[in-house]
Amino acid sequence: MLEPRTRWEIQEPSEDKAKWLSQELDIPLLIANLLVVRGIETIEKAEAFLKIDTDQFHDPFLMDGMKESVERIHRAVESNEKILIFGDYDADGVSSTTVMYYALKELGAQFDYYIPNRFTEGYGPNEPALRKAKEDGYSLVVTVDTGISAVHEANIAKEIGLDFIITDHHEAPPVLPDAYSIINPKKPGCTYPFSGLAGVGVAFKVAHALHGKPPLHLLDYACIGTIADLVPLVDENRVIAKLGIEALSKTDKIGLQELLKVAGLYEKELTAEDVGFAIGPRVNAAGRLGSAMPVVELFTSTDRDDSAMLSQEIDSVNKERQGIVNEITKEAIAMVEESYPPDENEVLVLAKEGWNPGVIGIVASRLVEKFYRPTIVLCLDPEKETAKGSARSIKGFDMFENLSGSRDILPHFGGHPMAAGMTLSMHDVDELRSRLIRQAKECLKPEDYLPVTTIDLTARLNEISLETVELLSTLSPFGVGNPSPRVMVEDVPIREMKKIGSQSNHLKLQVGNGELSVLDCIGFQKGSLLEEMTPYSLISIVGQIQLNEWNGYRKPQLLLEDLSVNHFQLFDYRGLKDAAKRLIGLPYSKTCFIAFEEETVRHKDFEALSDQVIGEDELLTLPEDYFKEKNLVFLDVPPSLTRFSEWLETIGEPSRIYAVFHQSTEHFFTTLPTREHFKWFYGFLAKRKTFNVKRDGAELAKWKGWSKETIDFMSKVFFELDFVTIDGGVIFINKEPSKRELESSETYQKKFEQADIENQLVYSSYHSLKSWFTEQTRPKASL
């Protein structure tokens, strides 16, 4: 067997609904199943999902606070007041700032933008910045992607006569700021049809309201923040992402063109993955390591040379960011393993002086990937005695809700169920860790600490075709809320498997049983799984279906995410010179090394395993359930096939069997004398009366074409049967021997039994040995 690395949750759509949808829309049942799994069960919903249109944008004035905000902005434009856009330093924040920049510019407003420095000012509006805005003659501040928690700052703005409009999308705190107006679809009491907008989505709706129509020319900016901020790609977000990616692929914005060039994506058809993993990190990097203002400069630039220079700078900062992330991640992993082992810490809370606060959110995400625990990474500032950091969570643990229970020690925090940011006293870090661990113990079960893979579809190999791949692409863009579909194919044979890559760390599989039902699979960083499968296994595979194009040839390919083998596997290590080397890597807790002869344990190949080996006497004393779900390694052959078979029957089917069956003496390939051999040799001795087997045995064997071992073996059998006596290597025939069968000789029995054991276990084919083990471990029907 091979257990999956994750916990598989298989979606089970309504067969009737899927069949009906398939017929009505004339689409394959596989695609209809996926739509139903995603909650799209009506013709109207399906058509809206498959055929995205700008008519799907909601009326912006349905959002609470929109009317008052738009009226105030128009009044400021008409009276020539100075407006300040107050943004945030992440990809969503700079995209939001850019969208609001163009919305105000196209109104002819007097305005500027400001993004606080992560290191000197921290997150969100701050009092010094607002007072400076007032001094500089601004009368209206409009936040984007920030401000919903700015209670103190709203009071200051009111105190100094600065109108303060908040546009945000983050979770609302119990007490809202006393601002001029608040636009946030998550605000309590807001009845807007869709609450999942990113900050740039909210800014996009404000621009929509200001101009009376959706600002479609700004979709290339809007899709960047929407995808990078990991909001659900459904409803309006799906429209923004889908149409925005198309717009970004052919954008006429000089700044975006230059950014695409440094990312190697210029003049290419883009995907959500390109935006999320190539564009988003570069845009985020500037704000993580310094100021995010250059990104807005780039996004709003109309000069080719300036844009090229800014893009190169941003790309360089991103490379620097990658190095810093890698270094902090190594330190954090070492801290976990040394001080906070995951088995004892349901939530990981790590803190250290000197860690860059701009990248610790990425580090937290990497730790969740490695240890699958809710994780908070904090940077300590001894001078201010503060800890500032980011949190990432796992399914089942609402980070925002659980942090809300510690508001007494969290003066500043905000976020979502899966991510949050915070600042607290460095003296409260241990207390926060204790509280979160206690909360996790209460709400999480042991199985919750195993990563979840949600499987959208189960399919047969013949259902995975080019048509399927192309139809699946119509469901894009994929992301949060609309993930790339994961497909499972069960119990398929392996046609080919090998490691690939310069370090042989990737796995390539080909599964199927015929030219029309063959699927290529590629598993990145999964090369180690090769040693855990036999070529004759039936495997279940889970992954994402992609289109593989090479030399003009197009075919489906599965990006492998996980796999399993649901039957016991036999690993045939018989005769392998490196068998011992392979065995050393097996997990100690799940493996039983078994040797029937002490001589085997002392063999040089198995010395490294000697402390772990179980002998035959100990083997029979262990309880039957000890071997359940274990890997059984048989280093040598058992002395009795009957007893071995009986023991296998008692323990039942193991997870895996590794057959080494090393032996110092081979019985099967030594001469096994027949009764004619025995008859001739006895007649020879009867005529001679005496025979010096020690002196003349080799010569006799040569004359007969036998081996000397054959002569010695038959001599010993005759001695045990009392047919002869042997003294000093000389055989004397007994005058009146009793009549006894050859089988009554212990030596005769053992020789032929060992030959039978070798025939069955050592020299049989792989399939014969696998069938034999299957038969022995299969539960026997009761009479």
Side-chain angles (χ1 to χ4, degrees), residues 11 36 58 100 116 122 259 337 364 437 593 646 760 777:
Q11 303 296 305
V36 173
H58 304 303
M100 193 63 72
L259 184 60
E337 294 174 342
I437 288 176
F593 296 93
E646 290 172 349
Q760 185 63 65
T777 57

Side-chain angles (χ1 to χ4, degrees), residues 28-216:
L29 183 59
L30 197 69
I31 304 298
N33 278 329
L34 181 60
L35 291 174
V36 173
V37 161
R38 299 277 162 95
I40 302 168
E41 301 178 346
T42 67
I43 299 297
E44 293 74 24
K45 285 184 177 181
E47 288 179 340
F49 193 85
L50 296 171
K51 301 173 183 178
I52 294 175
D53 193 276
T54 55
D55 290 341
Q56 295 169 356
F57 282 122
H58 304 303
D59 180 352
F61 288 101
L62 295 176
M63 200 174 298
D64 189 61
M66 185 67 77
K67 181 175 180 294
E68 302 94 301
S69 299
V70 168
E71 288 176 352
R72 179 66 184 90
I73 292 171
H74 277 304
R75 192 162 68 248
V77 173
E78 291 167 2
S79 57
N80 215 27
E81 297 178 56
K82 291 179 68 178
I83 305 171
L84 181 66
I85 305 168
F86 200 105
D88 187 27
Y89 37 65
D90 66 1
D92 190 16
V94 296
S95 301
S96 304
T97 302
T98 303
V99 167
M100 193 63 72
Y101 173 98
Y102 281 109
L104 294 181
K105 182 180 181 180
E106 289 160 13
L107 287 176
Q110 295 294 314
F111 72 98
D112 206 344
Y113 59 88
Y114 182 79
I115 296 177
N117 186 287
R118 181 192 295 265
F119 303 97
T120 59
E121 298 174 82
Y123 172 77
N126 60 84
E127 182 177 341
L130 293 180
R131 290 189 180 278
K132 180 68 166 58
K134 181 65 176 179
E135 292 174 7
D136 291 344
Y138 291 95
S139 58
L140 175 62
V141 171
V142 179
T143 74
V144 286
D145 189 37
T146 186
I148 194 62
S149 298
V151 174
H152 171 72
E153 290 73 18
N155 291 336
I156 294 298
K158 197 168 191 177
E159 176 186 311
I160 62 178
L162 191 62
D163 284 348
F164 194 54
I165 294 176
I166 295 172
T167 76
D168 201 351
H169 74 116
H170 293 95
E171 299 290 341
V175 178
L176 293 176
D178 184 13
Y180 182 90
S181 59
I182 298 176
I183 301 174
N184 185 336
K186 292 189 178 75
K187 184 175 70 172
C190 182
T191 58
Y192 191 70
F194 180 56
S195 64
L197 290 167
V200 71
V202 177
F204 186 87
K205 298 307 297 184
V206 173
H208 183 171
L210 285 170
H211 290 275
K213 61 181 180 180
L216 302 182

Side-chain angles (χ1 to χ4, degrees), residues 3 22 25 64 209 267 303 388 449 462 545 612 736 738:
E3 294 294 329
S22 172
L25 294 175
D64 189 61
E267 293 185 336
D303 183 275
K388 181 178 181 181
Y449 295 105
N462 59 11
I545 301 173
Q612 305 173 44
E736 296 181 0
S738 58

Side-chain angles (χ1 to χ4, degrees), residues 350-379:
L350 310 175
K352 185 178 179 181
E353 181 183 353
W355 281 351
N356 188 309
V359 301
I360 51 182
I362 302 174
V363 175
S365 295
R366 291 194 178 182
L367 294 179
V368 171
E369 289 176 10
K370 182 171 180 62
F371 299 110
Y372 204 68
R373 295 288 186 276
T375 300
I376 297 177
V377 181
L378 299 159
C379 174

Side-chain angles (χ1 to χ4, degrees), residues 364-406:
S365 295
R366 291 194 178 182
L367 294 179
V368 171
E369 289 176 10
K370 182 171 180 62
F371 299 110
Y372 204 68
R373 295 288 186 276
T375 300
I376 297 177
V377 181
L378 299 159
C379 174
L380 300 179
D381 186 338
E383 290 186 9
K384 297 180 181 179
E385 297 187 340
T386 59
K388 181 178 181 181
S390 295
R392 299 292 184 270
S393 197
I394 65 175
K395 185 176 181 179
F397 190 83
D398 188 322
M399 185 61 76
F400 182 82
E401 180 181 337
N402 281 285
L403 287 173
S404 296
S406 293

Side-chain angles (χ1 to χ4, degrees), residues 619-693:
L619 190 69
L620 298 175
T621 64
L622 292 169
E624 295 172 11
D625 60 359
Y626 177 82
F627 303 97
K628 188 176 182 181
E629 298 180 357
K630 290 285 183 69
N631 304 324
L632 303 185
V633 181
F634 297 113
L635 297 176
D636 55 13
V637 295
S640 167
L641 197 61
T642 301
R643 290 203 306 271
F644 187 48
S645 177
E646 290 172 349
W647 176 76
L648 287 171
E649 183 181 344
T650 62
I651 68 167
E653 187 176 271
S655 177
R656 304 178 195 172
I657 288 178
Y658 292 81
V660 181
F661 293 142
H662 167 82
Q663 52 187 351
S664 55
T665 302
E666 294 181 331
H667 297 267
F668 184 76
F669 283 110
T670 57
T671 302
L672 293 174
T674 65
R675 290 184 178 274
E676 291 301 318
H677 288 81
F678 279 100
K679 183 178 179 180
W680 184 92
F681 188 44
Y682 185 78
F684 170 81
L685 294 175
K687 290 178 182 178
R688 296 285 297 265
K689 306 300 181 184
T690 64
F691 177 66
N692 193 328
V693 71

